[in-house]
Amino acid sequence: MTRRELDAAAITDPRLRQAFARCRRLNAAHGKTYFLATRLLPAGRRPAVHALYGFARLADDIVDDLGTDTPQPVRAQRLRQLSQDLGSAMNGGDSSHPVVAAVAHTAHRYRIPYRHFDDFLTSMRSDLTVTDYPTLDALRSYMHGSAAVIGLQMLPVLGHTTPREEAAPHAAALGEAFQLTNFLRDVGEDLDRGRVYLPADLLAAEGVDRDLLHWSRGTGRRDPRITRALRSAAAVTRSFYEKARPGLDMLEPVSRPCVRTAFVLYGDILGAIARDGYASVHRRSTVSLRRRAAVAAAGLARITAARLTATLPVPTPTPTPTPVRASPSPSPAVSTFPSDPLPTEQAR
């Protein structure tokens, strides 16, 4: 993390500076699109985004990247310990883990409720035992914790010009849109981990089941039924982008270029999947570096215009953390599958 970002965020404690620096490295190494968009935020806001990403990555690594020989009970215990450490840190305690220290500091500064992190960890724990989802409603219950709350965590960091209750549903929908995009891109990789995130009823409508997906993955052969099912999944995903779109203009002006860039780049992944013939069972579709650079350049131009007319203050940190626990989140609203694809911002 650059000294300028830390100074702009008024983070002066040497231990915390190291903690945020570690989170930034995690974002740079694993969240390429996310990291690129974050660079478009005002410097003082970037450390908070890195901390939120770093915590999500930390939990995800416990679930998926400890090595295939790590028993499920060990992973579950590590998630429980992570939850306990975060709860203690967010209620004024200390944490020896740098990522936990950074995210607790961020939650306190921006008053992000503990329930958003608790819901996230609940979904991470379900990944240890749940391997598929029968319907979109069932998948959305999982995504409330794994994706929607990420948007809700980000909202106070980005700032909003409308009441929170008006902006929040769009922020949650954007988190879901991004995750659905990842699910569609990573069908083959998730299958190797024993998981199928795409709703079973959507797949079954085209005659697809887990056995057919395994056959296609194992043989390297295509099947038109899978292609049709993934095309339908892309249409569902586009509908979430359309739900999220109105929220872009509800953000503070200097944050909009960052989120619009992420909106376009993640949407471009859908375009790349389509151009590859919906071959996600066999390979991961990507967006070219040239395209990423072009979208980022457009974001920089919007930043210049926004900063000419607005100044975004960084909240002053209070010396003593206060508990930020809140009552559990309500269940997310359900959605139905659209019959036709909705237009995305632009194809990658």
Side-chain angles (χ1 to χ4, degrees):
M1 177 167 300
T2 65
R3 180 181 300 176
R4 184 172 70 89
E5 290 176 351
L6 292 167
D7 291 345
I11 299 169
T12 58
D13 180 84
R15 180 168 166 266
L16 271 177
R17 288 172 76 93
Q18 292 177 3
F20 278 97
R22 177 165 176 175
C23 293
R24 185 182 191 274
R25 290 194 296 271
L26 286 171
N27 196 353
H30 300 288
K32 294 179 181 178
T33 298
Y34 204 82
F35 182 73
L36 176 61
T38 302
R39 296 293 299 274
L40 300 178
L41 278 175
R45 295 287 165 125
R46 295 175 204 163
V49 178
H50 295 319
L52 293 172
Y53 180 91
F55 182 77
R57 184 70 199 188
L58 178 62
D60 188 65
D61 284 349
I62 292 173
V63 172
D64 284 330
D65 293 333
L66 287 178
T68 56
D69 295 333
T70 304
Q72 186 269 349
V74 173
R75 298 173 193 263
Q77 173 57 33
R78 293 189 183 181
L79 282 176
R80 284 194 294 271
Q81 185 61 54
L82 180 62
S83 179
Q84 293 169 5
D85 289 349
L86 179 65
S88 175
M90 289 183 66
N91 282 283
D94 192 22
S95 174
S96 60
H97 198 293
V99 173
V100 174
V103 80
H105 181 276
T106 296
H108 170 58
R109 170 175 284 191
Y110 292 99
R111 301 200 60 78
I112 303 171
Y114 174 80
R115 70 176 183 272
H116 293 333
F117 299 96
D118 193 44
D119 288 348
F120 169 73
L121 290 171
T122 296
S123 287
M124 292 301 97
R125 283 191 290 271
S126 77
D127 268 335
L128 298 178
T129 56
V130 179
T131 60
D132 51 46
Y133 297 88
T135 63
L136 179 62
D137 291 351
L139 180 61
R140 288 203 71 195
S141 179
Y142 165 80
M143 288 199 306
H144 168 72
S146 65
V149 297
I150 302 299
L152 298 177
Q153 291 170 12
M154 284 286 296
L155 190 57
V157 177
L158 298 170
H160 44 92
T161 59
T162 62
R164 182 192 178 282
E165 58 269 20
E166 184 178 351
H170 303 292
L174 188 58
E176 292 176 293
F178 289 171
Q179 184 160 71
L180 285 168
T181 301
N182 289 340
F183 288 160
L184 188 59
R185 180 195 62 192
D186 299 336
V187 173
E189 294 177 16
D190 289 331
L191 197 63
D192 291 344
R193 295 187 176 105
R195 300 192 195 110
V196 177
Y197 285 107
L198 299 181
D201 60 351
L202 180 148
L203 298 174
E206 299 295 345
V208 177
D209 58 15
R210 182 185 287 261
D211 289 341
L212 182 60
L213 293 173
H214 275 296
W215 171 84
S216 182
R217 178 75 168 169
T219 63
R221 296 174 63 181
R222 304 284 298 276
D223 187 289
R225 292 171 291 179
I226 296 176
T227 301
R228 291 195 298 269
L230 297 188
R231 186 180 292 115
S232 295
V236 172
T237 303
R238 291 189 186 98
S239 74
F240 279 85
Y241 280 96
E242 293 308 311
K243 293 175 187 177
R245 189 190 297 272
L248 301 180
D249 290 332
M250 298 178 186
L251 299 174
E252 291 187 354
V254 291
S255 294
R256 292 173 194 167
C258 162
V259 182
R260 287 187 187 280
T261 296
F263 185 97
V264 173
L265 287 177
Y266 269 94
D268 279 354
I269 295 174
L270 292 179
I273 292 169
R275 286 196 302 274
D276 289 344
Y278 297 95
S280 305
V281 173
H282 306 112
R283 64 178 180 271
R284 171 186 280 211
S285 297
T286 60
V287 179
S288 70
L289 290 175
R290 177 178 295 181
R291 171 61 178 162
R292 291 186 186 193
V295 174
L300 285 171
R302 288 192 291 268
I303 286 172
T304 300
R307 289 181 181 173
L308 288 174
T309 57
T311 300
L312 184 63
V314 175
T316 301
T318 53
T320 303
T322 56
V324 290
R325 292 183 181 272
S327 58
S329 300
S331 299
V334 297
S335 172
T336 56
F337 295 119
S339 58
D340 297 300
L342 295 175
T344 187
E345 175 120 339
Q346 51 187 312
R348 287 187 188 269

